[in-house]
Every structure is written in structure tokens, then in C-alpha cells.
Amino acid sequence: MSPNRKINLRVWLKIPDAEAATVKNTLVRRLGYKNILADVKKERLFSIEIDSGDPEELAKSFAKELVNENKESYKALIDELLFEDEYVPVKVALHIEDGEAISVRERLRSRLGFGNVVDVKKATIWKLYFDTLRPEAEVAAREIAERLLINPHKDSYEILSRPII
Amino acid sequence: MKIIGLSDPEVEVSLRAAGIGMSVPEARTIAGVLGRDPTLTELFCYDAMWSEHCSYKSSRSTLREFLPTDGPNVVMGPVEDSGIVAIDDKWCVVISHESHNHPSQVLPNEGAATGIGGIVRDVNCMGATVVATADPLRFGNPYGPKANKVRWVAEGVVDGIWQYGNALGVPNMGGDIVFNDSFDDNCLVNVVSIGIVRRDQIIRSRAPPLAGEKGYDIILIGKPTDSSGLGGVTFASEALREEDEETNRGAVQIPDPFLKNVLFKANDDLFKLVREAGVEIGFKDLGGGGFTCATSEMGSAGGFGMEINLDDMHKAADFPAEVLSIAETQERFLIISPPELREKILKIYNEDWDLPNVYEGARASVVGKINTGDRFRVSYKGEMACDVPIKHLTEGIRYNRLELPRTIKVSEPDFAEPADYNDVLLKILRSPNIASREHVYRYYDTEVMGNTVIRPGEADAGLIAPVRGEMFGVALAVDSNPFYGRLSPYWGGATAAAEAMRNVAAIGAVPSTLTDCLNYGNPEKPEAFWEFREGVKGLAESCKNLYLKGFEDQQQPVPIVSGNVSFYNESPDGSVDPSPVVACVGIMKDISKAITMDLKKAGDKLFLIGPRFDELGGSEYYQTILGVTGANVPIVRFDLERNMIYAVIDAIDEGILAAAHDISNGGLAASLCEMALVRPARFGFDVDLAGEGVQGSEGGMRTDKILFSESSGFVLEAKAGSEARLIELLKKYDLEPMQIGTVTGKRRIVISRSGESVADLDLDEARNAWMSGLVEAMR
Amino acid sequence: MKIAVMQFPGTNCEFETLVAVKAVDMEGEIFRWNRSAGELSDFDGFVIPGGFSYQDRIRAGVIASKEPVMSALKEEADKGKPILGICNGFQILVESGLLPGRSISCDKESEKGSNMGVGSGSNKASSNVDMALAQNVMISKGKIVRRGYYCDWVNLRHESPSKRCSGSFAIERGALLKIPIAHGEGNLVTTTPGLIKKLNDDQQVIFRYCDKNGRIINEFPFNVNGSTESIAAICNEQGNVLGMMPHPERAFFAWQLPAFDPRKQRADEAGPGRRVFESMKRYIEVNA
């Protein structure tokens, strides 16, 4: 029996992301990151675990359901999660039961008939662009996560700095 | 762009290459009027202004021919963004009705949200406080071959509605939802909004008198102009093909309820400033046709010209003039105001309400001036982008489309009476078109503003009390049955208007005005255009024959003060069922008299008004149980209909009714069950169909036809001791009072005929079916 | 007696809330977020009304909690002035650490949430946040039956004795109030050890969702959002700051009640929500 595979769908808006703009505005005007923060962008991340099937093909099918290409673009990564170098990616996910992830799983399984879907996890990736060098940027990113991006009673975060398997 | 001297095919090629949808003769007309080749910007401006959406080029003559738009209560008919009718000497209702069908099929969430965003701007720009919205929705068959897509669209649309409306803070009064396979590839997302304004505080969407002489400012406020929505107007005028969805993306606008919420409050300060200064301004929202439409229409309506400089416009990026001119960026308004108010107005938006920090790049900017000329002039980067006669641009063109009756092949089914009525009833109650709408309504904030008296699902219409300290209420209901429209476009139109009025009457409110959103196929196809004309005729006949109550001796029609036409609702598989969606506003003098549909007390007597006819064409029964549409569509018997509506209003006003519910989808059976099943669902009923009128106009109708005929009517619960008075009142209106049964304390639905049992159902079992039908269809 | 009804960009219940404030004979005005925060000290009490401040971006209430006006409001709270946070107002109070209050976070300072990173330690503004109002999950018989935004009328049971808290000062223990909710994030969760016990022990739980007879049934539809122990409202230790998910201003008059409530027909009567505003007034009178 082959081991389960994981399909990571990175999804981002092609249209202006007002939420990211508000986050940037708050960090710059209210929380004092004016001098080091250059920009904020956001992605949604779906991590879908499957126990069979061709991951490349399934990624396309899942994207058809989860991504609206009229407003969004996506990238599918199989068994890996890579990010570009120019920002610090902060992954925020619920550590309490995620009703939306469960409903995505159920929709893929029952409504769309993908019985090979074992699990779905969902997260937000905040892409923080800094005018400062990496080690300092990561410290600031942690601070930003704790001060604004998460409420530790429901969310957890991770700084994703190198390829995550 | 070169047009003069080129052949028709050459012009065609260059128009399409530039993304301009207009016809070659249209382009030649423009060049002829200008006496030169038009600029690219000019062509884009004309293209937007002469589109079906902005100019009503195919529909206007039909609308003018048939629809009554004036009446003793009309303050403003369909000339600006919204219509206005009087409630009393002081207060008015502002209403607008639009469609957002095509964008919602492609981007359900943003499409539906933008629908609300646009309609509330239409109402607000009249100086009104927006107090309610409602969404009539038509989706494809949730159990058909395209079920996945249909459910995806339905879910996205509902999400878009609540995410926008709830955040904006305007209560949703519900609307209605119908599933039908003609909407598989083309959903209908209509939206209605109402507002309240004092008669002496109405603001017009035109350059005010002397605006040209005094050089009034043109001020653009809101979101920075971008390219999103480019071509949205022409998009709405083309049939949707699946493979085009990607390329159509640019047509979808991006709404922002958060910015809108702040803009509305800033607008209130603007209105206050204007009142205190004692001056008149022009105010208009930017919708279809974008900046060009709003500016040119306001100037033209005031009889002025204007000079605009796009360099002064706040924009998201350095777009070319043709994009800035017609992009449909959301959350924008336009002000035409005297120069002495300029600084105060800019301060309201840019400082007091801090738009630049609420949304990146949002603000108020002075972009031009009104003059006494007759040209619409736009310059950008030192060049003249557009210089055209303003009236020529705004008056648009007219087409007289051909009409050809569609051959509709129909027949009545021949079938045996069902053996098990309990089973039939449960199937009907579970049908996605009959089942409780609660699953969807719970997503809508029905309570915000604290004005809600009757909320969606509690009665046939919603009711709000929008002004504290006043006793009056405003009722709103929407209606249209696509199955009737399929069988007879004419009766589809007539029944939609009649039922919307009936719905409002069922809570005790007096129908005051109607609006229509006319959703049809491609008007260039004679059969689709015929459907449209038939629908309008039917609609008009109902308005003209169900007179305005209080003026019935003068036979005043119920006026249609606002509306919208949405053509090209079709896919390669055909057009949608003719869908003239009608909204009715009713006025309730005293909200404490309004009643709902839930059964109130064991022992109360139940009355039916409206005899049953053998007209089950398009009925829920035929479709759900037999899988056929049938032929005999329900018709409106105008005198009977009027008498029923008036009698119910009078009875409620006298306080002799405990509950009322109109008869429509699912017939008498569904209406009775709904009265028992809606919360608190404490009572059952015991009904016998033996009475004369009950058995059909000719007597001896089959039991299934009596129960499920969708002939118009009402079920009434009389308050104990008021039965005699009710009978007297009904007779005064030439109505046959049919006492059909009793509200019971046992939790059972009991139907018999001349003492012989027909159905006997447990209330909870029935309620489970009724509550789960929509949940399952949208899962 | 003057009440400031706070207004953030995206707030949408300020007008009906002001109506309620005035209807119990308090003076009131709407206080826009960018007004000088110093002016807050002129007021005797505060209401943070419902709505979608900053469109609930990131999560409900968090961006408004970073506004300078909130720091000023904390100072006013420290003076013992009453603050009533309704719905989004409750969410803002939680995100700014005003609820459940600072005393607990001091106890907790030594602990680290399982996911808290190294951080600089000096700048942990969120470390005084002791709970979250998370996304609704409607659970029945162990299964999620619905999630997301939900608007309906609910029954509330008043859990604390009267006079414990400003916003329920004049409401007796065990009183049942029918009031509507309308929110997407009202599910009270916490990882702070002992917080729920402390809230119970100190009578800081003010309202719980219940059935029409006052029974607490920790299942949808009675527990409408999955909130821990069906908690609908809590106050701080001092009792002057109250946060509640339901909207009392929407149940202020009897005519606002749902069709099936018999009180609806008596249109002139007060609705159950009025008691919350009367309580606030009484609290100010007693503490003046």
C-alpha cells in the first residue's frame, strides 16, 4: 500500500485584496512597523490528504472546486510546500476544530465523490514583505503574528522559512 | 478610430478588436454626428451609454406602451435611479429593483454582493436612508444534470448576499427562491431595496438649476477608479457561454460593504450640510456605464454641458481614458454642487470620515465643472479624450424589435388520483420550491436597524417600522413563477403582479406600488421579444385592474415606479423561463394591526376565499408528483382578485383575523400546512373539502385538484367570535365565504372530504419534511 | 448622565443603540473613532455597538482593538465606568483584553500558549487576551450541522445575581430574556487554564443560551454557536464591563419580538432588551 500523498493548493486573489490592505494599514499606522514593513499579501492554503489516485490530476479537480479562476490563481504543490524568497510567509491556522475545513472535506467526498480524500486542512498564509534583512524580519514577523494575526486561544502560527515537507 | 471611408467589414473588425460591442451602423451614426472619426474613448462612452442596460434600446417603447407609472401617490416615477411613492404627507418610500444575473453566474459571491451594493446606492442617492433589501433568486435544478454547478452558484450567491448585506447593516426581508432547470446555466439574482426619505428632503440625480451659470463642481467620491467591471454593461447584454466565463472576468465588479457603510454615513453628513446651507445639489451613484453615465446623465438632465479632467480623478493605477471613463468600479458616487461648498464637502469625506484610511486610495476629488454648453468634454494628459453632444450621448437609440409568438406545445396529463395523500403531501412539503426558506434566512441579518416587525418566513410579506415615533409600517414582497411564464408569458406577468399584491395584503398592508425586473432571453430573437412583450402586457393588466385601494372609485392603477430589464438570459441550451419578477410595497397605517401566517389558537375557524379551478399547469403537484408541466396555467380573475385583496385588508384592519396566508405554489394544501408548520408550530388543523366553492367552480372537482390547484386565494384564521362579521365582510365584496375547518390542539394535519379521510399526518413528521427540503437541495 | 455610543468604521448598530440609550432617559451621542480620545472622559458610560468593524478582517474586533480610542476606553474602564459591548462590541472588548479582564492574564503570564513562538517578549500586546470568540459551529449529537453566520431569536438565562454587573444590574438571577443574535464569530473558547472555572466562581458569566424554559442544553439549536458552556455574555472581575453576543437594542420594544411571541401584540410594552439599558442606567445612578 502506498503512503498517503498531500496536495497543497496555494490560492491567491487576482483582484485587490482589501483584507491584506487593511492589515498593512493597521501595522503601519497603529503598530509601528512603518519603517520596516513594505507590503502585506495573503494566500489561502488547502492541504488535502489523499490515500489513492494521481495527485497531479486530483489537484486539478480539487482546484476546480475550491478555486474560482475568475478571481483567483493557484499553484498546486504535491507533498511539498514552497514559498518564494522575497517575503516571510506566516501560516495561520485554527488549532480548534475547523468547521470550514470539515465542510470542504465533506463536500469533496460526498457531493463530488472523491472518496480518496482522507483529510483537508485550511490555513491563511500572510506574506510579509520587509525592508530589512531576514533574521530581523523573522523576529518582526513573529511579533506581528502574535500582536495581530492570531488569537492564541483559537489560532496557531508558523513561520515557514524553508521548504516544508 | 478610423470609421469614415472604411467598409462595413473593416469597421466591424476594428470595433471587435478594440473590445467595443456596438454595431457598425451605430458607429457610423456617431461619426456622422461628430463630423469626424470618433476617438477610442468616445466609442467606449457611446458603447456603454447605448447598451441595453443604460439605454433600454429594445425595451423602452414596450414599457412606455403598457406600464402605468403615474398615480395619486407617486412622487417620482421611473425617471431616475429609484422611484418614490408617498406614505403620508411627510414621509416617502424610495424603491429600486435591479438584476445581477450574468455576473452572479460567473462569480456568485461577488456578483450577488455587487447586486446589493448597486441597488442600495440607487436608493441612497435620492437622499434616502436605506431600510431593507430583498433578493428574488432563481437557480437551476439542484437534482438535475448540472447539480454541482447549480449548488455552487446557489451557495455562493447566498454567501454574497449575507456577507455584503449584513456588513452594510441593512436588514434583508428575504425575497424568494425558485429552482428550475431553465436556470441551470443562467441563474437570476434580482435585488430590491427600499429606503425612507422625507418628501422635502429628496435629492435629485441631475445638475440643479443654475449649475451651468454658476460653474458647479463635479465631485467624485469613493473607491479609486480601476479597470474592474470594464464592459460590465455590455456583458449583461450578451448570452453566456461557459467557455467565455474566463474572458468575462473583467466584467465583474468588486464590492466592498465596509467602505459602503462608511460612505453612507458620510453621505448623511453631506445631506445635512446641503439642508443647512439651503442649496440644491445633484447626487447620483455610479453603476452601469460608470463615470461617463453618471456625469453625462446628470448634466443632460439639468440641460447643461460639462468639462472634465481625468487627471484630477483618484485612480488605482494609470489607466487609459477609455477605461477610466466607463469602468464600473464599485462604491462611488458623484456630486454636483456649488463651489462655495467644495471645501466642506471634501472635508466630510477626506477628513471626518477618513476615506483614504478606510480603503486604500479612496477619497473625494473635484474632477470637473458644469457649464452652460451642450458638450460632454473629457480631457486627459493634455489631450481631448471625448468631445460629444451630451444629449446625443445620453438619449441613446431605439430599436423596434420584431416579435413572433413562440409555439408552446403543452397538454394536460391524464392520470389517476393518488392512493396515498400523506405521501404526496410529504413529497410536496419536501420539494425545494415549497420547503421552508429558513435555512437561507438564518444567514441574513433580518434584525439590524431594529425596525423589523415581520421577518422573512413569518408571513407572505416582510414588514418594517422605519421611523421611530410613527405608527406606519412598510411591507415588501416579491414574486414570479417561472413555470407559469413558460406556459404563458402573459399570465406569468399577470400572476406575478397579482401575487405580490396578495402577499402584501395577507399581512394587512395596502399595495402602494410595484417594481419589476423583467428577465428574458435575447430580444433580437423575435420569440424572446414576444415573451417579453406578453409579460409586460400581463403585468400591466394586473396593475390596471387591481386598482389602488383608497382610490378604487377612480379606478387608479397600481403604479410601477421603478424597474429594470434584463435581456440575454440564455445559454446555448435556450433562454430562461420568462421571469417578470415583481416586488410590491405596501403601506400599513398601524403596525400593531399586522398579522402573520402561523395558526394562533385551537378552536379558531379556518376560511378559504377564492374558489378552486382546474388550472394546475405549472403547479408544484404536476411537477413534483407527475413530472409534467401541464397546460392550464392559473389566470388572474381581476374582479375576484381585487375583491379578495380588499376584503383581507379590511378584515385585518378590523382586527377580526388571527392569521392569513395566500394560496400560491402547492395550492390550498401547501398553504394550510405552512400555517401549521411555521414557528411556533403548536397547532394542527382539521379541514373538510365538502363546501361548494371548494369543490371547484363547476363542482365535483377531484380531491387532488382541489388540494393542489394554484388558483389564487387566501386561507384565513378568524378570531373566535368574529366569524359572522367575517362572513358579512366577505359577502360585501361578493366573495363566497367557505368555512373549511378548525385549528386543533392535537399535533396533526387532518384533511377529509365529506367526512371521508384524505390525509392524516403527524405535524412533526410534516415539519421535518418541510424543514429539510431546502437544506438537502443546497447541501 | 451621558453615554458615548462608539462608532468604528463598519459599525452598523449605533443608531438603534442610541435610540435605546435615549429611550431609558440617558443622554447619548455617537462617538466616531477618529475623534479626540481625550473627550471620552466627559462621558459616564459607553456602549460599543454591533456591526462589522473593519469588516471583521483577520478576525472580528481585532483591528478596532488597536485604535487609540480603545486605549482611552481602557482608562475609563479602570475608573469603574460601565462599558457594554454588544456583538462586535464584545469581540472588540475581548481582543483588546478588557474582557475577561487583566487580573487573569497576570496569573497566566508565566505560562506560554502551546503555539506562542519565541517573540521578543517586550511587545506581546496579545498576551493579555485570555479568550477568543471563534467561528460559530453548530453542533448537535456530536456532529457539525451548520456553521457560519446565524441570525435568530434566542433565550437567555441571567446567571449572576443582580447588581453583579453593570449591564444586568437590575435583572434578577434566573430571569429569562428573549433577544436576537446575529453573528458569525461568537463561539467562546479559551486555552487559559482555569479561566472558565474562575468566570463561573466569580459570577462573571452573565448570560447563557437556554431553551424557552430556562434549561441549559449545550447543543444546537439551544447553544447557537458552540460557545463553551453555552456562555453568551461575560463581565470583567469588577463587573463594570459587560460583553454580550445577543443584541438587546433589537428587542427593546415588544413589537420587535417574533410573530409567535404573545407579547408582540401589546405593542406599547417594553421588550426584554430594555432591561439591559435600564440596568446600565441604574448602575450609573448607584455608583454616582
Side-chain angles (χ1 to χ4, degrees):
Chain A
M1 219 176 78
S2 60
N4 289 355
R5 312 288 300 270
K6 192 186 264 181
I7 299 168
N8 287 310
L9 287 182
R10 285 176 56 187
V11 185
W12 61 93
L13 284 174
K14 294 194 261 196
I15 58 179
D17 185 339
E19 183 175 34
T22 300
V23 169
K24 182 186 168 193
N25 186 295
T26 302
L27 289 170
V28 166
R29 289 177 71 225
R30 301 296 185 217
L31 298 178
Y33 294 95
K34 188 169 182 213
N35 294 325
I36 58 165
L37 187 75
D39 203 2
V40 177
K41 290 182 183 171
K42 190 191 75 192
E43 291 183 5
R44 294 191 296 152
L45 174 70
F46 293 98
S47 301
I48 304 163
E49 197 181 327
I50 51 168
D51 62 9
S52 58
D54 175 0
E56 302 284 347
E57 282 307 305
L58 283 170
K60 277 184 206 149
S61 308
F62 296 157
K64 220 175 158 211
E65 287 308 316
L66 299 172
V67 181
N68 186 335
E69 294 196 54
N70 292 299
K71 64 172 176 182
E72 294 165 326
S73 298
Y74 78 98
K75 190 183 268 183
L77 300 163
I78 314 295
D79 294 332
E80 61 174 13
L81 186 52
L82 287 167
F83 289 92
E84 294 72 19
D85 280 335
E86 60 263 37
Y87 54 84
V88 180
V90 182
K91 178 184 159 193
V92 176
L94 288 177
H95 62 68
I96 59 171
E97 187 170 54
D98 187 343
E100 194 188 335
I102 293 171
S103 95
V104 168
R105 185 191 68 199
E106 289 314 301
R107 202 167 71 213
L108 291 177
R109 283 213 299 227
S110 1
R111 198 201 286 180
L112 305 169
F114 293 111
N116 42 6
V117 171
V118 178
D119 193 25
V120 175
K121 290 206 161 47
K122 184 190 110 275
T124 302
I125 308 290
W126 294 98
K127 305 197 294 193
L128 304 176
Y129 293 74
F130 289 99
D131 291 328
T132 175
L133 293 172
R134 192 78 188 194
E136 201 187 339
E138 280 201 18
V139 172
R142 250 171 229 291
E143 214 177 80
I144 286 170
E146 289 170 22
R147 292 179 71 191
L148 186 69
L149 301 179
I150 69 152
N151 180 322
H153 300 278
K154 68 183 181 84
D155 306 306
S156 57
Y157 78 95
E158 255 180 286
I159 307 280
L160 304 179
S161 42
R162 52 196 152 293
I164 306 291
I165 307 289
Chain B
M1 180 186 282
K2 186 149 178 61
I3 287 171
I4 298 168
L6 291 188
S7 71
D8 282 3
E10 285 168 328
V11 175
E12 176 92 33
V13 166
S14 33
L15 286 173
R16 298 308 158 251
I20 296 166
M22 72 171 62
S23 68
V24 174
E26 285 171 356
R28 290 211 188 280
T29 307
I30 293 161
V33 165
L34 297 180
R36 57 172 166 79
D37 282 326
T39 66
L40 194 59
T41 303
E42 285 166 341
L43 283 174
F44 268 95
C45 289
Y46 271 104
D47 197 33
M49 292 300 293
W50 287 12
S51 69
E52 199 68 66
H53 181 90
C54 285
S55 73
Y56 291 84
K57 59 188 171 191
S58 300
S59 60
R60 186 166 299 206
S61 57
T62 302
L63 302 177
R64 288 238 167 102
E65 186 180 345
F66 297 114
L67 294 184
T69 56
D70 203 4
N73 61 339
V74 174
V75 177
M76 194 186 304
V79 287
E80 291 187 2
D81 291 326
S82 301
I84 306 180
V85 289
I87 298 171
D88 55 22
D89 293 341
K90 186 174 172 187
W91 293 98
C92 300
V93 182
V94 182
I95 181 159
S96 190
H97 191 166
E98 270 276 7
S99 66
H100 230 245
N101 306 340
H102 298 89
S104 301
Q105 182 69 26
V106 180
L107 273 181
N109 190 309
E110 284 78 4
T114 305
I116 297 189
I119 202 84
V120 296
R121 277 198 308 277
D122 284 337
V123 169
N124 177 250
C125 74
M126 313 304 288
T129 304
V130 181
V131 292
T133 59
D135 293 83
L137 308 174
R138 303 291 178 267
F139 301 123
N141 182 353
Y143 297 104
K146 301 201 169 159
N148 274 339
K149 182 75 187 280
V150 164
R151 289 171 186 224
W152 177 81
V153 169
E155 184 181 316
V157 164
V158 169
D159 281 351
I161 290 168
W162 75 254
Q163 284 163 8
Y164 195 98
N166 297 2
L168 180 64
V170 175
N172 194 309
M173 292 286 101
D176 65 348
I177 304 170
V178 181
F179 299 91
N180 153 333
D181 44 25
S182 83
F183 305 112
D184 274 0
D185 293 308
N186 196 317
C187 67
L188 301 185
V189 175
N190 287 188
V191 55
V192 185
S193 178
I194 56 177
I196 288 288
V197 67
R198 269 176 54 169
R199 195 190 277 253
D200 57 353
Q201 294 179 355
I202 293 168
I203 292 179
R204 299 291 304 271
S205 298
R206 62 165 189 214
L210 300 178
E213 290 80 353
K214 292 186 175 170
Y216 275 26
D217 291 327
I218 302 172
I219 303 177
L220 177 67
I221 57 175
K223 214 170 169 179
T225 301
D226 54 29
S227 65
S228 76
L230 182 60
V233 163
T234 38
F235 171 57
S237 308
E238 283 158 20
L240 215 53
R241 288 196 308 272
E242 197 153 346
E243 62 269 28
D244 288 346
E245 286 184 9
E246 169 71 16
T247 50
N248 281 331
R249 181 187 64 243
V252 175
Q253 307 92 336
I254 314 303
D256 193 301
F258 169 56
L259 174 59
K260 172 71 66 55
N261 169 296
V262 178
L263 270 175
F264 271 12
K265 291 169 193 174
N267 289 349
D268 277 342
D269 280 0
L270 170 75
F271 301 155
K272 200 165 147 233
L273 171 74
V274 169
R275 281 200 299 275
E276 283 168 0
V279 298
E280 194 182 334
I281 60 164
F283 194 52
K284 188 173 170 66
D285 86 300
L286 277 76
F291 181 75
T292 295
C293 181
T295 46
S296 65
E297 283 192 352
M298 283 231 275
S300 180
F304 300 112
M306 56 181 56
E307 188 89 39
I308 288 156
N309 188 345
L310 294 178
D311 297 296
D312 296 333
M313 182 189 242
H314 54 285
K315 34 194 166 303
D318 188 17
F319 295 109
E322 67 271 18
V323 171
L324 296 173
S325 298
I326 67 158
E328 294 178 358
T329 309
Q330 292 297 291
E331 323 307 2
R332 295 183 301 166
F333 289 93
L334 198 79
I335 308 171
I336 292 179
S337 55
E340 64 267 22
L341 289 186
R342 183 187 309 152
E343 295 312 316
K344 285 180 180 163
I345 291 174
L346 294 179
K347 179 174 175 292
I348 287 175
Y349 292 94
N350 295 340
E351 293 171 36
D352 296 351
W353 294 93
D354 201 15
L355 291 190
N357 279 310
V358 167
Y359 190 96
E360 202 172 12
R363 59 184 305 105
S365 307
V366 181
V367 293
K369 282 213 166 292
I370 303 292
N371 57 39
T372 52
D374 60 359
R375 309 289 286 185
F376 178 71
R377 282 209 181 96
V378 181
S379 62
Y380 189 39
K381 296 183 173 172
E383 280 181 29
M384 188 57 70
C386 180
D387 183 358
V388 301
I390 195 164
K391 290 270 179 205
H392 186 245
L393 179 65
T394 57
E395 279 172 4
I397 39 171
R398 299 284 172 275
Y399 283 110
N400 288 315
R401 302 288 188 194
L402 294 175
E403 58 172 320
L404 184 70
R406 191 188 292 279
T407 321
I408 303 167
K409 270 175 69 182
V410 293
S411 63
E412 276 290 305
D414 183 14
F415 63 102
E417 207 180 321
D420 182 351
Y421 275 97
N422 282 356
D423 183 54
V424 170
L425 263 182
L426 287 173
K427 280 190 179 129
I428 298 252
L429 291 173
R430 194 185 283 277
S431 150
N433 286 336
I434 299 288
S436 167
R437 269 51 197 138
E438 200 172 312
H439 169 70
V440 167
Y441 293 156
R442 293 280 165 253
Y443 285 110
Y444 298 165
D445 191 343
T446 55
E447 310 295 324
V448 64
M449 298 184 100
N451 295 333
T452 308
V453 183
I454 296 179
R455 33 195 71 70
E458 292 185 337
D460 290 316
L463 179 69
I464 52 168
V467 183
R468 290 292 199 286
E470 299 278 354
M471 289 303 283
F472 67 75
V474 178
L476 180 64
V478 299
D479 199 73
S480 176
N481 187 323
F483 301 107
Y484 303 167
R486 183 187 297 178
L487 292 175
S488 161
Y490 175 85
W491 289 115
T495 52
E499 197 194 330
M501 290 191 242
R502 210 153 68 225
N503 285 339
V504 158
I507 67 166
V510 181
S512 167
T513 183
L514 300 179
T515 62
D516 55 1
C517 189
L518 305 162
N519 307 276
Y520 291 89
N522 178 352
E524 296 156 50
K525 296 181 182 167
E527 291 183 325
F529 194 66
W530 171 79
E531 288 176 339
F532 164 71
R533 282 184 56 90
E534 287 293 297
V536 173
K537 276 188 221 171
L539 186 57
E541 280 307 295
S542 273
C543 293
K544 289 172 186 164
N545 289 292
L546 304 176
Y547 320 126
L548 208 51
K549 189 161 167 37
F551 301 92
E552 56 262 38
D553 47 341
Q554 303 162 32
Q555 306 194 346
Q556 293 281 348
V558 181
I560 296 188
V561 295
S562 180
N564 171 245
V565 179
S566 173
F567 283 132
Y568 301 95
N569 290 292
E570 59 177 32
S571 69
D573 294 340
S575 50
V576 299
D577 283 337
S579 296
V581 175
V582 176
C584 180
V585 169
I587 306 299
M588 187 94 210
K589 280 220 172 68
D590 176 355
I591 54 162
S592 69
K593 289 184 173 176
I595 64 169
T596 50
M597 69 161 85
D598 52 305
L599 297 177
K600 301 290 189 303
K601 200 166 157 229
D604 279 357
K605 296 288 178 266
L606 292 170
F607 287 80
L608 163 71
I609 56 173
R612 303 295 85 203
F613 296 91
D614 185 351
E615 46 186 13
L616 285 87
S619 68
E620 191 60 40
Y621 179 63
Y622 274 12
Q623 311 209 51
T624 300
I625 305 301
L626 305 174
V628 300
T629 312
N632 302 342
V633 68
I635 64 170
V636 186
R637 296 161 183 89
F638 296 113
D639 291 336
L640 171 66
E641 187 76 46
R642 187 176 59 245
N643 284 333
M644 291 195 294
I645 288 173
Y646 284 14
V648 169
I649 294 170
D650 285 355
I652 294 171
D653 187 56
E654 281 189 26
I656 57 178
L657 295 185
H661 186 16
D662 93 308
I663 298 175
S664 55
N665 300 8
L668 172 63
S671 292
L672 278 165
C673 289
E674 284 160 6
M675 293 173 80
L677 298 177
V678 71
R679 286 204 286 191
R682 264 205 297 268
F683 304 103
F685 59 81
D686 195 336
V687 155
D688 194 288
L689 308 173
E692 247 179 48
V694 186
Q695 303 209 17
S697 47
E698 294 88 35
M701 220 161 117
R702 250 168 60 169
T703 300
D704 52 348
K705 294 201 170 181
I706 295 174
L707 282 175
F708 300 112
S709 163
E710 297 179 5
S711 300
S712 127
F714 289 90
V715 178
L716 309 175
E717 177 187 348
K719 282 186 185 165
S722 300
E723 297 84 358
R725 173 60 197 144
L726 178 62
I727 290 169
E728 189 184 6
L729 180 69
L730 295 176
K731 282 187 171 157
K732 191 190 96 183
Y733 279 107
D734 291 327
L735 297 169
E736 171 82 16
M738 295 174 268
Q739 190 187 312
I740 53 171
T742 313
V743 180
T744 64
K746 54 182 182 172
R747 301 177 59 80
R748 293 201 79 79
I749 286 170
V750 179
I751 301 171
S752 53
R753 187 168 187 185
S754 307
E756 213 164 292
S757 175
V758 173
D760 189 348
L761 258 182
D762 178 64
L763 193 72
D764 294 305
E765 192 185 355
R767 188 166 150 83
N768 279 343
W770 186 62
M771 291 300 289
S772 58
L774 188 64
V775 184
E776 286 162 9
M778 291 186 68
R779 182 166 286 154
Chain C
M1 198 180 294
K2 213 162 96 183
I3 306 298
V5 177
M6 309 302 294
Q7 180 185 49
F8 293 97
T11 297
N12 66 24
C13 302
E14 64 269 48
F15 303 106
E16 55 268 36
T17 303
L18 184 62
V19 167
V21 164
K22 290 181 171 173
V24 296
D25 292 324
M26 296 192 285
E27 282 176 63
E29 65 183 73
I30 289 172
F31 195 101
R32 193 166 57 212
W33 76 95
N34 56 359
R35 247 172 90 173
S36 159
E39 292 176 51
L40 281 178
S41 58
D42 297 342
F43 293 88
D44 305 299
F46 309 89
V47 186
I48 311 181
F52 286 68
S53 63
Y54 291 95
Q55 188 62 22
D56 285 359
R57 283 171 187 156
I58 309 182
R59 64 187 175 276
V62 65
I63 300 201
S65 78
K66 310 296 180 196
E67 289 287 334
V69 79
M70 284 309 297
S71 314
L73 210 56
K74 273 183 200 170
E75 289 171 24
E76 298 304 311
D78 289 342
K79 296 178 194 165
K81 291 184 185 177
I83 300 181
L84 169 63
I86 301 167
C87 196
N88 189 230
F90 186 11
Q91 294 160 339
I92 294 169
L93 289 171
V94 166
E95 286 294 340
S96 55
L98 271 141
L99 282 177
R102 286 172 204 168
S103 51
I104 302 156
S105 31
C106 296
D107 305 342
K108 194 204 78 165
E109 194 53 42
S110 57
E111 300 187 36
K112 283 262 163 74
S114 56
N115 301 288
M116 299 291 279
V118 286
S120 60
S122 60
N123 213 346
K124 295 209 294 179
S126 60
S127 63
N128 63 345
V129 173
D130 282 301
M131 54 177 265
L133 290 164
Q135 289 81 349
N136 295 351
V137 271
M138 291 69 165
I139 298 168
S140 175
K141 299 184 182 101
K143 277 181 72 176
I144 298 179
V145 292
R146 190 185 169 111
R147 57 182 186 83
Y149 196 93
Y150 199 71
C151 174
D152 199 3
W153 285 72
V154 297
N155 294 295
L156 300 177
R157 189 174 79 187
H158 186 227
E159 297 291 277
S160 64
S162 60
K163 299 191 177 150
R164 170 67 183 94
C165 156
S166 58
S168 68
F169 200 77
I171 304 176
E172 68 283 6
R173 176 179 233 149
L176 300 182
L177 278 68
K178 185 183 279 179
I179 289 183
I181 56 142
H183 61 254
E185 300 174 33
N187 169 10
L188 190 156
V189 292
T190 180
T191 55
T192 308
L195 176 68
I196 299 296
K197 181 171 188 306
K198 183 196 178 293
L199 293 176
N200 283 323
D201 291 350
D202 287 356
Q203 296 174 318
Q204 284 175 254
V205 174
I206 302 302
F207 293 112
R208 281 184 220 273
Y209 305 110
C210 63
D211 76 355
K212 64 176 194 279
N213 301 314
R215 276 179 307 173
I216 311 292
I217 302 166
N218 206 17
E219 287 254 307
F220 185 76
F222 308 104
N223 179 344
V224 282
N225 53 23
S227 190
T228 303
E229 296 191 4
S230 295
I231 295 173
I234 60 165
C235 70
N236 62 350
E237 200 168 69
Q238 295 73 18
N240 60 321
V241 181
L242 169 66
M244 59 191 296
M245 290 314 298
H247 284 270
E249 81 284 6
R250 299 180 182 183
F252 194 88
F253 306 101
W255 57 260
Q256 293 168 320
L257 286 161
F260 53 86
D261 192 297
R263 288 169 291 183
K264 187 176 181 75
Q265 304 310 320
R266 302 192 288 271
D268 299 334
E269 250 180 52
R274 184 184 173 105
R275 304 190 68 187
V276 172
F277 293 91
E278 283 171 344
S279 288
M280 189 172 185
K281 185 186 177 198
R282 190 80 196 113
Y283 174 88
I284 297 172
E285 283 168 354
V286 168
N287 287 281

